[in-house]
Amino acid sequence: MMTTTLHPCDVVVIGGGVAGAAIAAFLAPWRRVVVLEREAPAGRHATGRSSGMLLPSYGGEAARPLSRASLRFFAEPPGIFGGDLLTPRPTLHVAGPSQIAALAALAGELPGARLFGPTEAARRAPLLRAGRLAGALLEAEGGDIDVARLHAGFLAACRRSGGQVHVGVGDLTFARRGSVWRVSAGGVTWAAPVIVNAAGAWADEVARAAGAAALGLQPKRRTVLLFPRPPETAGWPTVKDVDERFYFRPCSKALLFTACDETPSPPCDAQPETLDVAHAAALFSRLSRQPEPRPIRAWAGLRTFAPDRAPVIGWSSTPGFFWFAGLGGFGVQTSPAAGSLAASLLLGRRIPGDLLDAGVRPELYAPTRLTSTGAARTA
Ligand SMILES: Cc1cc2nc3c(=O)[nH]c(=O)nc-3n(C[C@H](O)[C@H](O)[C@H](O)COP(=O)(O)OP(=O)(O)OC[C@H]3O[C@@H](n4cnc5c(N)ncnc54)[C@H](O)[C@@H]3O)c2cc1C
């Protein structure tokens, strides 16, 4: 008969991507936290496959306040993050003749941004075939995030406060006895009154396994290509289509490009599909002045969305079950503020003033908005 060791703690976080790592870092000073990541190393799914961009206007009404509230953290990260996390880089939102209304609408939402006509737009995005450009908007804030260092820093902060991070734990089982969850794998059981569902694309699966209501989260595959980069492009802005049909930016010695595909997928180890790569390469070829650009590498990852595309942060109607998921295409850039918000909600504390000042409204993220009962309960 297999013997099981039982480890009591206060909070078990399921998933060790940037979301699980962030909430663990904010909780660990106050609670005994254990992060359980099925795979090794942590961060090999969405977190390890992102484009690493911080673009404050990105992600719609619900994500923007969390991005804004994260700017200070990226500008001055705590020492445990080991140095700068952000290389500043503006974003040029570009528009063709049929997209001028979209560009004007974005300009209305970003009062500090600079609007350019076709000539200046072409000068600032010299890689694009000029005839395609009718205007552009320069968003100065933002840049390239060192995602690996951000993720490692959150995990280090968790450990430094006494939290534990277990990677490669394999498949977990869930049971609830009284007011305590028992989460088990490989002969080990962690017992805690609270579990946090930070399982990314698998978050609905984890909810079902624990007997909580799934929320209809949909993972969507996005494909990223690297092209050779002319040396003079290092300081160029990120160039993004105003309707998010593509974006590209310098990335180390390459140019990172995506055709912004969003193909629904089951949760999985997403791989670049031949057709998606071909479509993206053909689009880049049509847009670019480079002669016959050929990708040097491609990867794919899953961006996971709630039906209303807002993050899911808060208590489930199942006692002791807390959600931190549905982070779409903005889970890295929002992670400092979203982690702080999630920890405050879980601990039942006041939302930090810097989040409120940035316009963060926790009700926008409540999981219960997506269930028929709508009733929130705490542990
Ligand atoms: C191509 C692409 C580009 C992107 N670009 C950007 C960008 O520029 N900026 C930005 O902010 N965001 C970007 N994103 C989005 C960002 O990567 C995600 O929002 C973020 O990484 C989500 O983090 P997560 O921790 O929720 O998910 P994940 O990183 O996927 O982590 C979830 C973890 O849970 C684990 N897990 C699942 N089930 C279990 C289980 N049963 N038991 C234990 N562990 C489990 C998984 O193994 C995984 O490691 C991009 C995403 C993609 C795919």
PDB file of all heavy atoms in Angstrom, residues 14-15 17-19 36-39 45-47 49-53 172 198-200 202 206 222 224 301-303 327-333, ligand 1:
ATOM      1  N   ILE A  14      -2.281  26.418  -8.067  1.00  0.00           N
ATOM      2  CA  ILE A  14      -2.163  25.428  -9.140  1.00  0.00           C
ATOM      3  C   ILE A  14      -1.680  26.144 -10.391  1.00  0.00           C
ATOM      4  O   ILE A  14      -2.399  26.961 -10.972  1.00  0.00           O
ATOM      5  CB  ILE A  14      -3.528  24.747  -9.443  1.00  0.00           C
ATOM      6  CG1 ILE A  14      -4.226  24.302  -8.158  1.00  0.00           C
ATOM      7  CG2 ILE A  14      -3.336  23.593 -10.429  1.00  0.00           C
ATOM      8  CD1 ILE A  14      -3.491  23.278  -7.357  1.00  0.00           C
ATOM      9  N   GLY A  15      -0.458  25.852 -10.817  1.00  0.00           N
ATOM     10  CA  GLY A  15       0.114  26.474 -12.011  1.00  0.00           C
ATOM     11  C   GLY A  15       1.224  27.438 -11.640  1.00  0.00           C
ATOM     12  O   GLY A  15       1.034  28.331 -10.805  1.00  0.00           O
ATOM     13  N   GLY A  17       3.013  29.391 -13.944  1.00  0.00           N
ATOM     14  CA  GLY A  17       3.322  30.416 -14.949  1.00  0.00           C
ATOM     15  C   GLY A  17       3.395  31.777 -14.262  1.00  0.00           C
ATOM     16  O   GLY A  17       3.450  31.864 -13.027  1.00  0.00           O
ATOM     17  N   VAL A  18       3.362  32.832 -15.071  1.00  0.00           N
ATOM     18  CA  VAL A  18       3.544  34.156 -14.468  1.00  0.00           C
ATOM     19  C   VAL A  18       2.409  34.499 -13.510  1.00  0.00           C
ATOM     20  O   VAL A  18       2.628  35.173 -12.492  1.00  0.00           O
ATOM     21  CB  VAL A  18       3.728  35.240 -15.562  1.00  0.00           C
ATOM     22  CG1 VAL A  18       2.413  35.565 -16.273  1.00  0.00           C
ATOM     23  CG2 VAL A  18       4.356  36.491 -14.988  1.00  0.00           C
ATOM     24  N   ALA A  19       1.193  33.992 -13.776  1.00  0.00           N
ATOM     25  CA  ALA A  19       0.075  34.305 -12.878  1.00  0.00           C
ATOM     26  C   ALA A  19       0.265  33.630 -11.523  1.00  0.00           C
ATOM     27  O   ALA A  19       0.198  34.289 -10.477  1.00  0.00           O
ATOM     28  CB  ALA A  19      -1.248  33.871 -13.517  1.00  0.00           C
ATOM     29  N   LEU A  36       2.174  24.553  -7.080  1.00  0.00           N
ATOM     30  CA  LEU A  36       2.333  23.232  -7.697  1.00  0.00           C
ATOM     31  C   LEU A  36       2.246  23.386  -9.215  1.00  0.00           C
ATOM     32  O   LEU A  36       1.198  23.782  -9.747  1.00  0.00           O
ATOM     33  CB  LEU A  36       1.245  22.271  -7.208  1.00  0.00           C
ATOM     34  CG  LEU A  36       1.211  22.013  -5.704  1.00  0.00           C
ATOM     35  CD1 LEU A  36       0.079  21.045  -5.350  1.00  0.00           C
ATOM     36  CD2 LEU A  36       2.554  21.467  -5.204  1.00  0.00           C
ATOM     37  N   GLU A  37       3.343  23.104  -9.890  1.00  0.00           N
ATOM     38  CA  GLU A  37       3.394  23.210 -11.355  1.00  0.00           C
ATOM     39  C   GLU A  37       3.561  21.802 -11.922  1.00  0.00           C
ATOM     40  O   GLU A  37       4.497  21.092 -11.557  1.00  0.00           O
ATOM     41  CB  GLU A  37       4.558  24.122 -11.770  1.00  0.00           C
ATOM     42  CG  GLU A  37       4.943  24.057 -13.238  1.00  0.00           C
ATOM     43  CD  GLU A  37       3.793  24.328 -14.207  1.00  0.00           C
ATOM     44  OE1 GLU A  37       3.112  25.342 -14.048  1.00  0.00           O
ATOM     45  OE2 GLU A  37       3.595  23.493 -15.134  1.00  0.00           O
ATOM     46  N   ARG A  38       2.645  21.427 -12.810  1.00  0.00           N
ATOM     47  CA  ARG A  38       2.654  20.064 -13.342  1.00  0.00           C
ATOM     48  C   ARG A  38       3.959  19.733 -14.071  1.00  0.00           C
ATOM     49  O   ARG A  38       4.467  18.631 -14.003  1.00  0.00           O
ATOM     50  CB  ARG A  38       1.464  19.898 -14.298  1.00  0.00           C
ATOM     51  CG  ARG A  38       1.326  18.496 -14.840  1.00  0.00           C
ATOM     52  CD  ARG A  38       0.028  18.311 -15.564  1.00  0.00           C
ATOM     53  NE  ARG A  38      -0.201  19.360 -16.552  1.00  0.00           N
ATOM     54  CZ  ARG A  38      -1.382  19.640 -17.068  1.00  0.00           C
ATOM     55  NH1 ARG A  38      -2.448  18.972 -16.679  1.00  0.00           N
ATOM     56  NH2 ARG A  38      -1.519  20.598 -17.957  1.00  0.00           N
ATOM     57  N   GLU A  39       4.484  20.731 -14.774  1.00  0.00           N
ATOM     58  CA  GLU A  39       5.611  20.439 -15.661  1.00  0.00           C
ATOM     59  C   GLU A  39       6.900  21.059 -15.140  1.00  0.00           C
ATOM     60  O   GLU A  39       6.893  21.878 -14.234  1.00  0.00           O
ATOM     61  CB  GLU A  39       5.296  20.967 -17.049  1.00  0.00           C
ATOM     62  CG  GLU A  39       3.995  20.353 -17.568  1.00  0.00           C
ATOM     63  CD  GLU A  39       3.784  20.608 -19.021  1.00  0.00           C
ATOM     64  OE1 GLU A  39       4.778  20.667 -19.768  1.00  0.00           O
ATOM     65  OE2 GLU A  39       2.625  20.756 -19.398  1.00  0.00           O
ATOM     66  N   HIS A  45       4.653  27.169 -20.815  1.00  0.00           N
ATOM     67  CA  HIS A  45       3.475  27.361 -21.675  1.00  0.00           C
ATOM     68  C   HIS A  45       3.342  28.858 -22.023  1.00  0.00           C
ATOM     69  O   HIS A  45       4.302  29.444 -22.489  1.00  0.00           O
ATOM     70  CB  HIS A  45       2.239  26.725 -21.040  1.00  0.00           C
ATOM     71  CG  HIS A  45       2.348  25.225 -21.111  1.00  0.00           C
ATOM     72  ND1 HIS A  45       2.238  24.544 -22.290  1.00  0.00           N
ATOM     73  CD2 HIS A  45       2.645  24.294 -20.176  1.00  0.00           C
ATOM     74  CE1 HIS A  45       2.423  23.249 -22.093  1.00  0.00           C
ATOM     75  NE2 HIS A  45       2.680  23.072 -20.808  1.00  0.00           N
ATOM     76  N   ALA A  46       2.167  29.450 -21.835  1.00  0.00           N
ATOM     77  CA  ALA A  46       1.972  30.823 -22.346  1.00  0.00           C
ATOM     78  C   ALA A  46       3.095  31.767 -21.905  1.00  0.00           C
ATOM     79  O   ALA A  46       3.605  32.563 -22.701  1.00  0.00           O
ATOM     80  CB  ALA A  46       0.613  31.353 -21.887  1.00  0.00           C
ATOM     81  N   THR A  47       3.497  31.666 -20.657  1.00  0.00           N
ATOM     82  CA  THR A  47       4.478  32.615 -20.129  1.00  0.00           C
ATOM     83  C   THR A  47       5.788  32.559 -20.913  1.00  0.00           C
ATOM     84  O   THR A  47       6.398  33.594 -21.188  1.00  0.00           O
ATOM     85  CB  THR A  47       4.714  32.314 -18.632  1.00  0.00           C
ATOM     86  OG1 THR A  47       3.472  32.498 -17.952  1.00  0.00           O
ATOM     87  CG2 THR A  47       5.790  33.199 -18.027  1.00  0.00           C
ATOM     88  N   ARG A  49       6.161  31.785 -23.956  1.00  0.00           N
ATOM     89  CA  ARG A  49       5.975  31.907 -25.414  1.00  0.00           C
ATOM     90  C   ARG A  49       5.455  33.279 -25.810  1.00  0.00           C
ATOM     91  O   ARG A  49       5.043  33.497 -26.942  1.00  0.00           O
ATOM     92  CB  ARG A  49       5.003  30.837 -25.888  1.00  0.00           C
ATOM     93  CG  ARG A  49       5.489  29.453 -25.478  1.00  0.00           C
ATOM     94  CD  ARG A  49       4.505  28.391 -25.833  1.00  0.00           C
ATOM     95  NE  ARG A  49       4.847  27.141 -25.161  1.00  0.00           N
ATOM     96  CZ  ARG A  49       4.550  25.943 -25.607  1.00  0.00           C
ATOM     97  NH1 ARG A  49       3.891  25.818 -26.743  1.00  0.00           N
ATOM     98  NH2 ARG A  49       4.887  24.872 -24.931  1.00  0.00           N
ATOM     99  N   SER A  50       5.432  34.215 -24.859  1.00  0.00           N
ATOM    100  CA  SER A  50       4.830  35.518 -25.149  1.00  0.00           C
ATOM    101  C   SER A  50       5.769  36.337 -26.035  1.00  0.00           C
ATOM    102  O   SER A  50       6.927  35.995 -26.225  1.00  0.00           O
ATOM    103  CB  SER A  50       4.535  36.257 -23.843  1.00  0.00           C
ATOM    104  OG  SER A  50       5.613  37.083 -23.496  1.00  0.00           O
ATOM    105  N   SER A  51       5.234  37.444 -26.514  1.00  0.00           N
ATOM    106  CA  SER A  51       6.053  38.370 -27.310  1.00  0.00           C
ATOM    107  C   SER A  51       6.808  39.332 -26.410  1.00  0.00           C
ATOM    108  O   SER A  51       7.584  40.148 -26.896  1.00  0.00           O
ATOM    109  CB  SER A  51       5.166  39.171 -28.266  1.00  0.00           C
ATOM    110  OG  SER A  51       4.443  38.309 -29.108  1.00  0.00           O
ATOM    111  N   GLY A  52       6.531  39.289 -25.130  1.00  0.00           N
ATOM    112  CA  GLY A  52       7.289  40.103 -24.173  1.00  0.00           C
ATOM    113  C   GLY A  52       7.081  41.595 -24.331  1.00  0.00           C
ATOM    114  O   GLY A  52       8.001  42.373 -24.107  1.00  0.00           O
ATOM    115  N   MET A  53       5.880  41.995 -24.702  1.00  0.00           N
ATOM    116  CA  MET A  53       5.635  43.425 -24.895  1.00  0.00           C
ATOM    117  C   MET A  53       4.830  44.016 -23.748  1.00  0.00           C
ATOM    118  O   MET A  53       3.930  43.364 -23.227  1.00  0.00           O
ATOM    119  CB  MET A  53       4.852  43.656 -26.199  1.00  0.00           C
ATOM    120  CG  MET A  53       5.731  43.466 -27.406  1.00  0.00           C
ATOM    121  SD  MET A  53       4.853  43.208 -28.960  1.00  0.00           S
ATOM    122  CE  MET A  53       3.271  43.900 -28.746  1.00  0.00           C
ATOM    123  N   LEU A 172      -2.489  16.150 -10.817  1.00  0.00           N
ATOM    124  CA  LEU A 172      -2.994  16.360  -9.454  1.00  0.00           C
ATOM    125  C   LEU A 172      -4.405  15.799  -9.327  1.00  0.00           C
ATOM    126  O   LEU A 172      -5.169  15.782 -10.294  1.00  0.00           O
ATOM    127  CB  LEU A 172      -3.036  17.860  -9.143  1.00  0.00           C
ATOM    128  CG  LEU A 172      -1.699  18.609  -9.171  1.00  0.00           C
ATOM    129  CD1 LEU A 172      -1.926  20.121  -9.060  1.00  0.00           C
ATOM    130  CD2 LEU A 172      -0.805  18.136  -8.021  1.00  0.00           C
ATOM    131  N   ALA A 198      -4.555  28.921 -11.134  1.00  0.00           N
ATOM    132  CA  ALA A 198      -3.739  29.733 -12.055  1.00  0.00           C
ATOM    133  C   ALA A 198      -3.189  28.814 -13.141  1.00  0.00           C
ATOM    134  O   ALA A 198      -2.004  28.874 -13.481  1.00  0.00           O
ATOM    135  CB  ALA A 198      -2.615  30.428 -11.289  1.00  0.00           C
ATOM    136  N   ALA A 199      -4.066  27.985 -13.677  1.00  0.00           N
ATOM    137  CA  ALA A 199      -3.620  26.929 -14.594  1.00  0.00           C
ATOM    138  C   ALA A 199      -3.702  27.327 -16.060  1.00  0.00           C
ATOM    139  O   ALA A 199      -3.657  26.469 -16.949  1.00  0.00           O
ATOM    140  CB  ALA A 199      -4.421  25.654 -14.335  1.00  0.00           C
ATOM    141  N   GLY A 200      -3.797  28.627 -16.352  1.00  0.00           N
ATOM    142  CA  GLY A 200      -3.729  29.113 -17.734  1.00  0.00           C
ATOM    143  C   GLY A 200      -4.782  28.434 -18.618  1.00  0.00           C
ATOM    144  O   GLY A 200      -5.978  28.446 -18.316  1.00  0.00           O
ATOM    145  N   TRP A 202      -5.503  25.497 -18.953  1.00  0.00           N
ATOM    146  CA  TRP A 202      -6.136  24.343 -18.301  1.00  0.00           C
ATOM    147  C   TRP A 202      -7.046  24.768 -17.148  1.00  0.00           C
ATOM    148  O   TRP A 202      -7.522  23.914 -16.388  1.00  0.00           O
ATOM    149  CB  TRP A 202      -5.062  23.386 -17.773  1.00  0.00           C
ATOM    150  CG  TRP A 202      -4.310  22.680 -18.858  1.00  0.00           C
ATOM    151  CD1 TRP A 202      -4.590  21.450 -19.379  1.00  0.00           C
ATOM    152  CD2 TRP A 202      -3.152  23.150 -19.558  1.00  0.00           C
ATOM    153  NE1 TRP A 202      -3.692  21.141 -20.365  1.00  0.00           N
ATOM    154  CE2 TRP A 202      -2.799  22.165 -20.499  1.00  0.00           C
ATOM    155  CE3 TRP A 202      -2.391  24.312 -19.488  1.00  0.00           C
ATOM    156  CZ2 TRP A 202      -1.702  22.303 -21.365  1.00  0.00           C
ATOM    157  CZ3 TRP A 202      -1.306  24.465 -20.341  1.00  0.00           C
ATOM    158  CH2 TRP A 202      -0.975  23.460 -21.265  1.00  0.00           C
ATOM    159  N   VAL A 206      -9.047  22.353 -14.468  1.00  0.00           N
ATOM    160  CA  VAL A 206      -8.756  22.288 -13.036  1.00  0.00           C
ATOM    161  C   VAL A 206     -10.033  22.521 -12.230  1.00  0.00           C
ATOM    162  O   VAL A 206     -10.300  21.830 -11.244  1.00  0.00           O
ATOM    163  CB  VAL A 206      -7.639  23.297 -12.657  1.00  0.00           C
ATOM    164  CG1 VAL A 206      -7.584  23.548 -11.154  1.00  0.00           C
ATOM    165  CG2 VAL A 206      -6.293  22.786 -13.163  1.00  0.00           C
ATOM    166  N   ARG A 222      -1.753  31.420 -30.913  1.00  0.00           N
ATOM    167  CA  ARG A 222      -1.119  32.512 -31.679  1.00  0.00           C
ATOM    168  C   ARG A 222       0.278  32.057 -32.082  1.00  0.00           C
ATOM    169  O   ARG A 222       0.996  31.429 -31.306  1.00  0.00           O
ATOM    170  CB  ARG A 222      -1.051  33.802 -30.864  1.00  0.00           C
ATOM    171  CG  ARG A 222      -0.306  34.908 -31.606  1.00  0.00           C
ATOM    172  CD  ARG A 222      -0.656  36.288 -31.138  1.00  0.00           C
ATOM    173  NE  ARG A 222      -2.020  36.660 -31.541  1.00  0.00           N
ATOM    174  CZ  ARG A 222      -2.551  37.854 -31.309  1.00  0.00           C
ATOM    175  NH1 ARG A 222      -1.861  38.769 -30.662  1.00  0.00           N
ATOM    176  NH2 ARG A 222      -3.784  38.124 -31.705  1.00  0.00           N
ATOM    177  N   VAL A 224       4.101  32.951 -33.664  1.00  0.00           N
ATOM    178  CA  VAL A 224       5.096  34.020 -33.719  1.00  0.00           C
ATOM    179  C   VAL A 224       6.257  33.570 -34.607  1.00  0.00           C
ATOM    180  O   VAL A 224       6.709  32.421 -34.499  1.00  0.00           O
ATOM    181  CB  VAL A 224       5.622  34.341 -32.300  1.00  0.00           C
ATOM    182  CG1 VAL A 224       6.716  35.392 -32.345  1.00  0.00           C
ATOM    183  CG2 VAL A 224       4.485  34.788 -31.398  1.00  0.00           C
ATOM    184  N   GLY A 301       1.770  29.632 -29.018  1.00  0.00           N
ATOM    185  CA  GLY A 301       1.351  29.533 -27.624  1.00  0.00           C
ATOM    186  C   GLY A 301      -0.133  29.820 -27.530  1.00  0.00           C
ATOM    187  O   GLY A 301      -0.750  30.295 -28.484  1.00  0.00           O
ATOM    188  N   LEU A 302      -0.693  29.530 -26.366  1.00  0.00           N
ATOM    189  CA  LEU A 302      -2.133  29.708 -26.163  1.00  0.00           C
ATOM    190  C   LEU A 302      -2.401  30.939 -25.307  1.00  0.00           C
ATOM    191  O   LEU A 302      -1.834  31.087 -24.221  1.00  0.00           O
ATOM    192  CB  LEU A 302      -2.731  28.472 -25.494  1.00  0.00           C
ATOM    193  CG  LEU A 302      -2.587  27.172 -26.286  1.00  0.00           C
ATOM    194  CD1 LEU A 302      -3.179  26.004 -25.501  1.00  0.00           C
ATOM    195  CD2 LEU A 302      -3.240  27.285 -27.664  1.00  0.00           C
ATOM    196  N   ARG A 303      -3.257  31.805 -25.826  1.00  0.00           N
ATOM    197  CA  ARG A 303      -3.751  32.952 -25.052  1.00  0.00           C
ATOM    198  C   ARG A 303      -5.172  32.574 -24.655  1.00  0.00           C
ATOM    199  O   ARG A 303      -5.985  32.217 -25.506  1.00  0.00           O
ATOM    200  CB  ARG A 303      -3.722  34.215 -25.911  1.00  0.00           C
ATOM    201  CG  ARG A 303      -2.313  34.531 -26.417  1.00  0.00           C
ATOM    202  CD  ARG A 303      -2.295  35.312 -27.729  1.00  0.00           C
ATOM    203  NE  ARG A 303      -2.618  36.703 -27.616  1.00  0.00           N
ATOM    204  CZ  ARG A 303      -3.702  37.274 -28.126  1.00  0.00           C
ATOM    205  NH1 ARG A 303      -4.590  36.554 -28.790  1.00  0.00           N
ATOM    206  NH2 ARG A 303      -3.911  38.553 -27.990  1.00  0.00           N
ATOM    207  N   LEU A 327      -6.118  35.422 -18.787  1.00  0.00           N
ATOM    208  CA  LEU A 327      -5.247  36.594 -18.908  1.00  0.00           C
ATOM    209  C   LEU A 327      -4.864  36.907 -20.348  1.00  0.00           C
ATOM    210  O   LEU A 327      -4.005  37.768 -20.604  1.00  0.00           O
ATOM    211  CB  LEU A 327      -4.007  36.406 -18.019  1.00  0.00           C
ATOM    212  CG  LEU A 327      -4.411  36.251 -16.543  1.00  0.00           C
ATOM    213  CD1 LEU A 327      -3.264  35.749 -15.703  1.00  0.00           C
ATOM    214  CD2 LEU A 327      -4.963  37.556 -15.990  1.00  0.00           C
ATOM    215  N   GLY A 328      -5.520  36.246 -21.283  1.00  0.00           N
ATOM    216  CA  GLY A 328      -5.456  36.605 -22.699  1.00  0.00           C
ATOM    217  C   GLY A 328      -4.060  36.915 -23.190  1.00  0.00           C
ATOM    218  O   GLY A 328      -3.111  36.169 -22.928  1.00  0.00           O
ATOM    219  N   GLY A 329      -3.941  38.061 -23.864  1.00  0.00           N
ATOM    220  CA  GLY A 329      -2.651  38.472 -24.426  1.00  0.00           C
ATOM    221  C   GLY A 329      -1.969  39.539 -23.592  1.00  0.00           C
ATOM    222  O   GLY A 329      -1.107  40.267 -24.087  1.00  0.00           O
ATOM    223  N   PHE A 330      -2.360  39.643 -22.302  1.00  0.00           N
ATOM    224  CA  PHE A 330      -1.823  40.732 -21.470  1.00  0.00           C
ATOM    225  C   PHE A 330      -1.391  40.232 -20.092  1.00  0.00           C
ATOM    226  O   PHE A 330      -1.199  41.020 -19.174  1.00  0.00           O
ATOM    227  CB  PHE A 330      -2.866  41.853 -21.328  1.00  0.00           C
ATOM    228  CG  PHE A 330      -4.276  41.321 -21.134  1.00  0.00           C
ATOM    229  CD1 PHE A 330      -4.667  40.805 -19.906  1.00  0.00           C
ATOM    230  CD2 PHE A 330      -5.187  41.296 -22.169  1.00  0.00           C
ATOM    231  CE1 PHE A 330      -5.940  40.292 -19.720  1.00  0.00           C
ATOM    232  CE2 PHE A 330      -6.467  40.780 -22.003  1.00  0.00           C
ATOM    233  CZ  PHE A 330      -6.844  40.272 -20.770  1.00  0.00           C
ATOM    234  N   GLY A 331      -1.241  38.914 -19.932  1.00  0.00           N
ATOM    235  CA  GLY A 331      -0.962  38.362 -18.600  1.00  0.00           C
ATOM    236  C   GLY A 331       0.417  38.693 -18.067  1.00  0.00           C
ATOM    237  O   GLY A 331       0.621  38.740 -16.849  1.00  0.00           O
ATOM    238  N   VAL A 332       1.362  38.966 -18.969  1.00  0.00           N
ATOM    239  CA  VAL A 332       2.713  39.314 -18.511  1.00  0.00           C
ATOM    240  C   VAL A 332       2.735  40.781 -18.084  1.00  0.00           C
ATOM    241  O   VAL A 332       3.150  41.117 -16.970  1.00  0.00           O
ATOM    242  CB  VAL A 332       3.748  39.045 -19.625  1.00  0.00           C
ATOM    243  CG1 VAL A 332       5.127  39.513 -19.186  1.00  0.00           C
ATOM    244  CG2 VAL A 332       3.782  37.560 -19.979  1.00  0.00           C
ATOM    245  N   GLN A 333       2.240  41.645 -18.940  1.00  0.00           N
ATOM    246  CA  GLN A 333       2.354  43.077 -18.656  1.00  0.00           C
ATOM    247  C   GLN A 333       1.469  43.517 -17.497  1.00  0.00           C
ATOM    248  O   GLN A 333       1.723  44.539 -16.874  1.00  0.00           O
ATOM    249  CB  GLN A 333       2.055  43.905 -19.901  1.00  0.00           C
ATOM    250  CG  GLN A 333       0.612  43.872 -20.389  1.00  0.00           C
ATOM    251  CD  GLN A 333       0.392  44.836 -21.560  1.00  0.00           C
ATOM    252  OE1 GLN A 333       1.276  45.033 -22.372  1.00  0.00           O
ATOM    253  NE2 GLN A 333      -0.786  45.450 -21.629  1.00  0.00           N
TER     254      GLN A 333
HETATM  255  C1  LIG B   1       2.222  34.176 -28.733  1.00  0.00           C
HETATM  256  C2  LIG B   1       1.880  34.904 -27.472  1.00  0.00           C
HETATM  257  C3  LIG B   1       2.252  36.234 -27.321  1.00  0.00           C
HETATM  258  C4  LIG B   1       1.965  36.907 -26.142  1.00  0.00           C
HETATM  259  N1  LIG B   1       2.445  38.171 -25.978  1.00  0.00           N
HETATM  260  C5  LIG B   1       2.239  38.819 -24.813  1.00  0.00           C
HETATM  261  C6  LIG B   1       2.791  40.090 -24.595  1.00  0.00           C
HETATM  262  O1  LIG B   1       3.489  40.623 -25.447  1.00  0.00           O
HETATM  263  N2  LIG B   1       2.547  40.709 -23.403  1.00  0.00           N
HETATM  264  C7  LIG B   1       1.779  40.126 -22.430  1.00  0.00           C
HETATM  265  O2  LIG B   1       1.571  40.725 -21.385  1.00  0.00           O
HETATM  266  N3  LIG B   1       1.257  38.896 -22.602  1.00  0.00           N
HETATM  267  C8  LIG B   1       1.469  38.242 -23.773  1.00  0.00           C
HETATM  268  N4  LIG B   1       0.942  37.003 -23.965  1.00  0.00           N
HETATM  269  C9  LIG B   1       0.026  36.462 -22.955  1.00  0.00           C
HETATM  270  C10 LIG B   1       0.755  35.911 -21.759  1.00  0.00           C
HETATM  271  O3  LIG B   1       1.805  35.068 -22.197  1.00  0.00           O
HETATM  272  C11 LIG B   1      -0.249  35.131 -20.899  1.00  0.00           C
HETATM  273  O4  LIG B   1      -1.367  35.947 -20.599  1.00  0.00           O
HETATM  274  C12 LIG B   1       0.369  34.692 -19.578  1.00  0.00           C
HETATM  275  O5  LIG B   1       1.598  34.048 -19.787  1.00  0.00           O
HETATM  276  C13 LIG B   1      -0.587  33.752 -18.847  1.00  0.00           C
HETATM  277  O6  LIG B   1       0.080  33.261 -17.722  1.00  0.00           O
HETATM  278  P1  LIG B   1      -0.516  32.039 -16.918  1.00  0.00           P
HETATM  279  O7  LIG B   1       0.363  31.827 -15.757  1.00  0.00           O
HETATM  280  O8  LIG B   1      -1.969  32.285 -16.712  1.00  0.00           O
HETATM  281  O9  LIG B   1      -0.453  30.826 -17.958  1.00  0.00           O
HETATM  282  P2  LIG B   1       0.731  29.789 -18.245  1.00  0.00           P
HETATM  283  O10 LIG B   1       2.027  30.483 -18.438  1.00  0.00           O
HETATM  284  O11 LIG B   1       0.267  28.918 -19.359  1.00  0.00           O
HETATM  285  O12 LIG B   1       0.847  28.982 -16.907  1.00  0.00           O
HETATM  286  C14 LIG B   1      -0.139  28.051 -16.508  1.00  0.00           C
HETATM  287  C15 LIG B   1       0.611  26.894 -15.902  1.00  0.00           C
HETATM  288  O13 LIG B   1      -0.300  26.004 -15.276  1.00  0.00           O
HETATM  289  C16 LIG B   1       0.227  24.715 -15.384  1.00  0.00           C
HETATM  290  N5  LIG B   1      -0.844  23.754 -15.169  1.00  0.00           N
HETATM  291  C17 LIG B   1      -1.919  23.520 -15.954  1.00  0.00           C
HETATM  292  N6  LIG B   1      -2.689  22.556 -15.411  1.00  0.00           N
HETATM  293  C18 LIG B   1      -2.091  22.181 -14.263  1.00  0.00           C
HETATM  294  C19 LIG B   1      -2.414  21.227 -13.263  1.00  0.00           C
HETATM  295  N7  LIG B   1      -3.502  20.464 -13.340  1.00  0.00           N
HETATM  296  N8  LIG B   1      -1.572  21.087 -12.221  1.00  0.00           N
HETATM  297  C20 LIG B   1      -0.456  21.854 -12.116  1.00  0.00           C
HETATM  298  N9  LIG B   1      -0.101  22.774 -13.046  1.00  0.00           N
HETATM  299  C21 LIG B   1      -0.919  22.939 -14.098  1.00  0.00           C
HETATM  300  C22 LIG B   1       0.789  24.676 -16.804  1.00  0.00           C
HETATM  301  O14 LIG B   1       1.753  23.652 -16.956  1.00  0.00           O
HETATM  302  C23 LIG B   1       1.372  26.071 -16.936  1.00  0.00           C
HETATM  303  O15 LIG B   1       2.739  26.113 -16.639  1.00  0.00           O
HETATM  304  C24 LIG B   1       1.238  36.272 -25.107  1.00  0.00           C
HETATM  305  C25 LIG B   1       0.871  34.941 -25.250  1.00  0.00           C
HETATM  306  C26 LIG B   1       1.199  34.253 -26.403  1.00  0.00           C
HETATM  307  C27 LIG B   1       0.829  32.805 -26.521  1.00  0.00           C
END
